[in-house]
Amino acid sequence: MRSRRILIFSLAYFPFMGGAEVAVKEITQRCGDNFSFDLLTHRFDTRWLPEEKVDKVRVFRLGRGRPGSYYGRKVSKFVWAFRALSKAEQLQRRGSYDAIWVIMAAYAGPSALLFKLLHPRIPLLLTLQEGDSEAHILSRVGVFYPLWRLLFGKADYLQCISTYLADFGRRHGANCPIEVIPNGIDAVKLTKAYDPNELIILKRQLGIKPTEKVIITTSRLVYKNAVDILIQSIAFLKSKQMNLKCLVVGSGPGEEDLKQLTQSLGVAREVVFIGGVLPDEIPKYLKISNIFVRPSRSEGMGNSFIEAMAAGCPIICSNATC
């Protein structure tokens, strides 16, 4: 029996790992051997291989990134859409695909839509994982809204991680079957028991004193995740003589501004920027923490909150998360 060939369009993928990328990785790993996956993504960093096999997925990284650049310029993301379409056509000539799978409707959407228009018989699955507010998404789409809306109209199936995103899809033209399937987490990894000595050593390395309470956030350092509000809260708690450390696990374009904010508020010692870590490393940081905080300005369905709860770490979040 011929394996079913699936073509995935996703602007970001491993080693850039957020909730959407983790979901794709987990889903593809769980599919049987009669599925094969080709994934088109952006090459944000020149140190990343242009092509490699990641688990069951053959990843093609397109574009000209820069060393250490994990976000890139907006114009390069638009150019990527045309590179992805060209590569998709090249791969299609090697053997027809059985399905198109596009992850989020933003930058990956146009190339997937154009490929669908060229090959209308290939079913298109659109997965919505957007965490930005609707206003922000529409401002980014701008004059391309009719094309963006056409993607929803041409989708044969819509899978969303929340009822909010399902309604979002309907508002913008989806008339296909819609199913809400929330993201999951690997409970085995997150409930793993660590050697207490290993955790003690980690706390020492981070400069955490035995008397200090530990607050953690795991997040891309972007405006919507409101790490700036968390840092302001740390400054307030410090003024109340609370003995604490705040771990910021993640990276992003807002990192330098956030570090400057800790300096201006006098909490550079209390706030520790861990940087980006692999998903498998996150549980040990949660294990040494007392509480997880992320006052998001908008959310689709944040995996970070579920991971924290699975690891036994209480959470504080905004009503944008609910």
Side-chain angles (χ1 to χ4, degrees):
M1 178 180 177
R2 183 180 74 86
S3 65
R4 297 182 181 181
R5 300 183 69 225
I6 313 299
L7 179 61
I8 306 173
F9 292 84
S10 179
L11 181 70
Y13 198 60
F14 179 87
F16 184 120
M17 297 298 281
E21 293 75 44
V22 170
V24 173
K25 190 172 185 291
E26 294 292 336
I27 291 168
T28 53
Q29 282 183 295
R30 284 163 171 73
C31 289
D33 293 336
N34 58 327
F35 287 89
S36 67
F37 300 92
D38 290 341
L39 186 146
L40 305 178
T41 188
H42 186 32
R43 193 182 183 197
F44 288 96
D45 193 318
T46 52
R47 295 172 296 184
W48 299 353
L49 293 174
E51 181 180 338
E52 69 173 320
K53 190 78 176 289
V54 180
D55 297 316
K56 288 188 174 182
V57 180
R58 188 167 52 150
V59 179
F60 298 91
R61 299 189 183 91
L62 312 172
R64 300 173 182 174
R66 294 172 293 173
S69 172
Y70 290 84
Y71 290 86
R73 296 173 298 174
K74 186 177 290 188
V75 65
S76 68
K77 296 174 184 177
F78 282 116
V79 172
W80 174 84
F82 295 99
R83 286 196 175 107
L85 176 62
S86 176
K87 186 65 176 180
E89 284 297 299
Q90 178 188 336
L91 294 171
Q92 170 73 4
R93 287 193 290 270
R94 297 180 188 175
S96 182
Y97 284 102
D98 296 288
I100 307 161
W101 183 14
V102 55
I103 311 302
M104 299 197 283
Y107 294 105
S111 48
L113 171 63
L114 293 172
F115 187 77
K116 170 69 174 178
L117 293 174
L118 291 170
H119 306 280
R121 293 187 178 182
I122 304 178
L124 186 151
L125 166 65
L126 171 59
T127 289
L128 293 185
Q129 294 243 4
E130 278 76 354
D132 292 316
S133 68
E134 187 166 357
H136 177 78
I137 292 170
L138 293 179
S139 69
R140 191 170 57 187
V141 171
V143 296
F144 297 100
Y145 179 77
L147 182 67
W148 183 76
R149 183 181 175 90
L150 184 60
L151 172 66
F152 289 88
K154 290 295 182 180
D156 296 286
Y157 209 93
L158 186 63
Q159 180 260 316
C160 310
I161 59 173
S162 66
T163 53
Y164 167 78
L165 287 173
D167 292 338
F168 175 91
R170 293 186 186 96
R171 282 197 299 275
H172 295 288
N175 54 19
C176 59
I178 299 175
E179 189 162 355
V180 176
I181 306 176
N183 279 342
I185 48 91
D186 190 331
V188 174
K189 289 180 183 177
L190 289 158
T191 56
K192 172 186 172 182
Y194 284 87
D195 182 342
N197 291 324
E198 181 183 353
L199 299 181
I200 290 170
I201 292 170
L202 178 60
K203 293 179 82 169
R204 280 192 198 139
Q205 290 172 340
L206 297 173
I208 300 170
K209 298 175 182 176
T211 56
E212 289 179 323
K213 298 297 183 184
V214 182
I215 295 171
I216 187 172
T217 189
T218 60
S219 169
R220 283 189 301 125
L221 305 186
V222 293
Y223 177 76
K224 83 172 191 71
N225 289 334
V227 179
D228 58 311
I229 295 176
L230 173 58
I231 291 171
Q232 292 170 35
S233 301
I234 297 301
F236 172 79
L237 293 173
K238 182 181 179 181
S239 73
K240 300 299 181 182
Q241 309 303 313
M242 292 197 65
N243 199 14
L244 53 83
K245 271 285 195 297
C246 176
L247 307 181
V248 179
V249 179
S251 61
E255 185 169 348
E256 287 307 313
D257 288 340
L258 292 170
K259 286 180 177 177
Q260 289 178 17
L261 181 61
T262 65
Q263 294 286 348
S264 64
L265 295 177
V267 290
R269 190 198 71 82
E270 285 76 17
V271 180
V272 180
F273 288 86
I274 306 296
V277 302
L278 294 173
D280 288 352
E281 296 294 304
I282 289 176
K284 68 180 179 183
Y285 290 98
L286 293 169
K287 292 293 184 182
I288 64 171
S289 302
N290 300 103
I291 193 162
F292 176 95
V293 180
R294 192 160 109 188
S296 302
R297 292 181 169 95
S298 65
E299 278 291 347
M301 177 196 160
N303 270 27
S304 294
F305 304 98
I306 308 170
E307 291 170 350
M309 288 188 285
C313 193
I315 70 167
I316 294 178
C317 61
S318 69
N319 59 5
T321 311
C322 303

